[in-house]
């Protein structure tokens, strides 16, 4: 059955603060933070502030082609040209769904000579192939982050044009309505 978790900006701030607390309590102190383009950039920037880590970079890993649809394997779409030899690196994404983007980015960072590499996400799915070192929430719902409201609405609207059950239609229409309300409210 389709399940959605629609988040607001204040949810992202609260989750990121909680994640920063978890990381701080662990004693891990990264030399730099790498955010995965698109979903990991905002949590990475917040963690950079909360953890007082001034060096932040971005890596592009492409895996999803649509809501709930992904390619066979992740591709590096934006490499990182930074000397990471011996550095402690925190890789940040919004969610560990399959975990493949996190694995690909960790492999990339290790190939650049990084020392200690840790993974952090706001959410983790039970079926992820990798368990992040740090995460806040375990969920099996499709998560709708505020930075993808319009993208998700467009995708779900296309799904309504397909052959779906009345139950799925009702769920999708409800999510679209919730997102539209949040957009109108200025989310």
């Amino acid at each position: 059955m389709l399940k959605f978790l629609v988040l607001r900006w204040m949810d992202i701030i609260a989750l990121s603060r909680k994640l920063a607390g978890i990381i701080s309590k662990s004693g891990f102190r990264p030399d730099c933070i790498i955010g995965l383009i698109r979903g990991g950039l905002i949590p990475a920037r917040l963690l950079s502030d909360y953890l007082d880590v001034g060096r932040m970079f971005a890596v592009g890993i492409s895996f999803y082609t649509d809501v709930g649809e992904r390619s066979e394997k992740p591709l590096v779409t934006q490499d990182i040209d930074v000397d990471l030899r011996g550095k402690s690196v925190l890789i940040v994404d919004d969610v560990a769904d399959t975990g493949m983007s996190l694995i690909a980015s960790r492999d990339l960072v290790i190939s650049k000579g990084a020392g200690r590499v840790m993974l952090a996400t706001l959410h983790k799915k039970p079926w992820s192939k990798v368990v992040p070192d740090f995460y806040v929430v375990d969920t099996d719902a499709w998560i709708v982050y505020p930075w993808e409201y319009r993208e998700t609405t467009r995708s779900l609207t296309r799904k309504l044009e397909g052959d779906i059950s009345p139950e799925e239609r009702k769920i999708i229409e409800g999510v679209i309505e919730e997102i539209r309300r949040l957009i109108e409210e200025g989310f």
Side-chain angles (χ1 to χ4, degrees):
M1 180 170 89
L2 291 174
K3 281 195 330 193
F4 290 87
L5 176 61
V6 180
L7 300 173
R8 299 173 180 204
W9 285 109
M10 63 185 166
D11 298 321
I12 301 308
I13 292 168
L15 288 166
S16 296
R17 287 185 71 148
K18 188 169 186 177
L19 183 57
I22 293 167
I23 295 166
S24 290
K25 286 180 186 172
S26 79
F28 178 64
R29 175 80 179 137
D31 296 310
C32 67
I33 293 176
I34 296 177
L36 297 192
I37 297 174
R38 301 181 353 143
L41 288 179
I42 292 167
R45 178 58 183 99
L46 291 169
L47 289 174
S48 171
D49 183 40
Y50 298 149
L51 297 172
D52 193 26
V53 177
R55 297 188 69 202
M56 188 184 133
F57 307 100
V59 167
I61 305 286
S62 179
F63 196 49
Y64 279 94
T65 58
D66 205 344
V67 172
E69 298 174 17
R70 49 189 167 253
S71 56
E72 222 173 279
K73 66 179 192 170
L75 300 171
V76 176
T77 57
Q78 181 173 318
D79 202 343
I80 184 170
D81 188 23
V82 174
D83 183 7
L84 297 174
R85 287 176 291 184
K87 302 286 187 212
S88 292
V89 178
L90 180 66
I91 298 173
V92 180
D93 205 359
D94 49 3
V95 61
D97 191 329
T98 65
M100 297 304 292
S101 295
L102 289 166
I103 292 168
S105 61
R106 180 181 61 201
D107 291 348
L108 176 67
V109 168
I110 289 171
S111 77
K112 305 270 182 197
R116 191 169 182 201
V117 179
M118 304 291 265
L119 306 174
T121 62
L122 302 176
H123 296 91
K124 181 190 83 63
K125 302 287 181 90
W127 49 79
S128 178
K129 292 184 182 342
V130 64
V131 175
D133 301 288
F134 312 107
Y135 67 93
V136 183
V137 177
D138 203 329
T139 182
D140 63 351
W142 182 268
I143 306 157
V144 182
Y145 294 98
W147 50 82
E148 62 185 13
Y149 282 171
R150 293 185 190 278
E151 172 185 329
T152 301
T153 300
R154 285 189 300 270
S155 176
L156 291 176
T157 300
R158 284 192 304 272
K159 288 199 180 300
L160 288 174
E161 296 167 1
D163 186 25
I164 59 174
S165 72
E167 181 180 279
E168 289 174 322
R169 179 170 301 280
K170 183 177 179 179
I171 292 168
I172 290 173
E173 287 172 346
V175 170
I176 290 171
E177 181 57 35
E178 182 180 0
I179 293 170
R180 285 187 177 145
R181 182 180 47 76
L182 289 169
I183 291 171
E184 286 174 16
E185 291 174 2
F187 55 96

